[in-house]
Amino acid sequence: VYDRSKEHVFRIQEDIARTIAAELGEQLGKAPLVRAPAASFEAYQLYLQGRSLWARKTEAAYLEAAELYERALALDPGYAPAHAGLSDVYRDTWSHWSKEPRGGPLLARAEEAARNALAFAPESPEAHSSLASVLQDRYRDWEAAEKLFERSLELGPQNAAAHLAYGTFLSIRGRLAEARTPLERALELDPLSAHLHTQVGRAAVYSGDHRRAVVRLRRALELSPGDPTVPRLLFMAHEALGEPSEAREAYLSVAPAVSRPVLRAVGRVAGSRFVIARVTDIAAAFPALSPDGPWGIALGFAATGRAEPMYDYLERAEPKSLEHIRVDPVFDPYRKDARFTELLERSGYAD
């Protein structure tokens, strides 16, 4: 009978898990089912609040999540999930909003927090996944990162974020067929995540499964209408499927609203290439209007065969935004260029 005091109610989950583990015994025989809880109920609550904010994928939410994790660690310095959460916040902040190089302080903090998590909880799936992501981004240590991702999934097979991270890793490395399993598993575990639908759709575009890509990307837009990544991927899928009107309409959604009626009308006659070229020119002339920054502009120049400005904007793009450059088919015409090869090597995404 569970009659513990209110401040220790969060331990009930651990007790139940321990009881199940004891009864199942050797039938499971792999990873431990139970991880140590926080020493403080308040620290546990702060961690959960931080994780909820982190899932919003906005800069403001990340800053608030970091503060909550720090408060949790002030109450319980050895609470591994809070260390892992802090690592994810630092890494994702670097990934999406920072122009720091890989050797900068954000990824250094992310690594420190991930290693702290692993030191306090060597069997924590979150700690393994967090450190794997840091090794991938900071050092391009692909071999070590993959081993940590695999161990993370052994320890926490129900962890959607870990499946997503490993699937993205495999996709970045060009192993698109292998990436499908962890990405689809992540989506099964978290079917309402727009980000997951986007990543599954992206991998489908890159692997040539365009009908499946459309289904996933449409769902991503339903869940999160403002993501600028999705329309570009939808354009590629519809174009490959021989659906030019759908392709043009998808790309027009990243153009300034005031320009869409004219571009839509002219595009019916001039075609998709014209629409992409004009949307890209507008974004280059008015960078503040580009929803996904230099990377999105570079994609537009690449798609319309304008190599020189493409390289210029790839050089300006945030390091993390280049992670799919090795597999994105829009860059296929440039892969033999010496300048493209040098960019791949410098970014750490070469073979």
Side-chain angles (χ1 to χ4, degrees):
V1 178
Y2 295 98
D3 56 358
R4 300 206 177 175
S5 58
K6 183 177 179 180
E7 63 269 20
H8 294 297
V9 68
F10 74 108
R11 294 183 186 274
I12 291 175
Q13 182 180 5
E14 181 194 16
D15 289 348
I16 294 172
R18 287 190 188 280
T19 302
I20 294 172
E23 291 177 355
L24 291 176
E26 294 183 359
Q27 295 179 37
L28 295 172
K30 290 186 179 180
L33 288 179
V34 180
R35 280 167 276 148
S40 159
F41 182 52
E42 185 180 353
Y44 177 68
Q45 288 181 311
L46 290 168
Y47 164 74
L48 292 180
Q49 292 169 24
R51 209 67 183 167
S52 177
L53 285 165
W54 174 77
R56 295 182 189 177
K57 307 294 182 186
T58 68
E59 187 174 12
Y62 281 4
L63 288 171
E64 192 174 348
E67 293 178 4
L68 291 170
Y69 290 142
E70 293 283 11
R71 287 171 57 193
L73 291 171
L75 293 167
D76 182 1
Y79 189 34
H83 283 290
L86 196 58
S87 175
D88 293 342
V89 165
Y90 286 141
R91 174 185 168 270
D92 286 351
T93 298
W94 172 83
S95 169
H96 298 296
W97 294 287
S98 171
K99 294 184 180 296
E100 280 185 12
R102 287 184 284 136
L106 277 173
L107 284 183
R109 291 175 190 166
E111 181 176 0
E112 180 183 12
R115 292 193 182 280
N116 285 338
L118 202 57
F120 285 117
E123 301 299 306
S124 164
E126 294 87 357
H128 282 79
S129 181
S130 295
L131 183 56
S133 295
V134 172
L135 296 184
Q136 167 188 306
D137 285 346
R138 192 178 190 200
Y139 302 109
R140 302 290 190 257
D141 190 340
W142 308 111
E143 183 178 353
E146 183 161 14
K147 289 178 180 177
L148 285 165
F149 279 131
E150 290 173 344
R151 181 58 176 152
S152 173
L153 292 176
E154 289 175 4
L155 294 166
Q158 303 302 311
N159 188 326
H163 282 284
L164 169 62
Y166 186 41
T168 302
F169 168 89
L170 292 171
S171 178
I172 289 170
R173 299 303 296 148
R175 295 157 60 182
L176 294 168
E178 294 175 71
R180 178 168 181 167
T181 297
L183 288 174
E184 290 286 1
R185 180 57 180 148
L187 198 56
E188 290 174 7
L189 293 166
D190 189 3
L192 296 180
S193 167
H195 182 64
L196 276 171
H197 282 278
T198 299
Q199 295 311 310
V200 172
R202 182 197 297 276
V205 169
Y206 293 166
S207 62
D209 192 350
H210 297 108
R211 185 57 65 194
R212 175 167 153 265
V214 169
V215 172
R216 294 304 186 197
L217 294 168
R218 289 291 178 193
R219 181 59 176 148
L221 279 181
E222 290 173 3
L223 293 167
S224 181
D227 185 349
T229 302
V230 177
R232 298 184 192 279
L233 293 169
L234 266 176
F235 166 83
M236 294 169 68
H238 283 302
E239 188 82 353
L241 289 167
E243 299 169 346
S245 61
E246 291 87 347
R248 287 195 302 274
E249 199 60 33
Y251 212 91
L252 279 171
S253 66
V254 300
V258 68
S259 68
R260 290 175 198 167
V262 172
L263 290 175
R264 184 177 290 113
V266 177
R268 292 192 189 103
V269 178
S272 297
R273 188 183 176 91
F274 171 85
V275 171
I276 298 173
R278 299 292 77 77
V279 171
T280 303
D281 291 341
I282 292 170
F286 305 97
L289 299 179
S290 175
D292 45 1
W295 170 251
I297 299 173
L299 287 174
F301 283 127
T304 51
R306 293 180 282 180
E308 194 59 36
M310 176 197 78
Y311 285 119
D312 180 33
Y313 278 91
L314 285 175
E315 295 287 352
R316 302 186 199 182
E318 292 82 358
K320 181 65 175 178
S321 66
L322 302 178
E323 68 178 4
H324 292 102
I325 192 171
R326 182 180 172 186
V327 292
D328 194 324
V330 77
F331 296 110
D332 286 351
Y334 310 97
R335 298 199 184 281
K336 294 183 180 180
D337 293 357
R339 190 171 177 183
F340 190 85
T341 300
E342 191 273 335
L343 179 66
L344 269 182
E345 291 175 348
R346 184 154 36 87
S347 65
Y349 292 115
D351 291 339

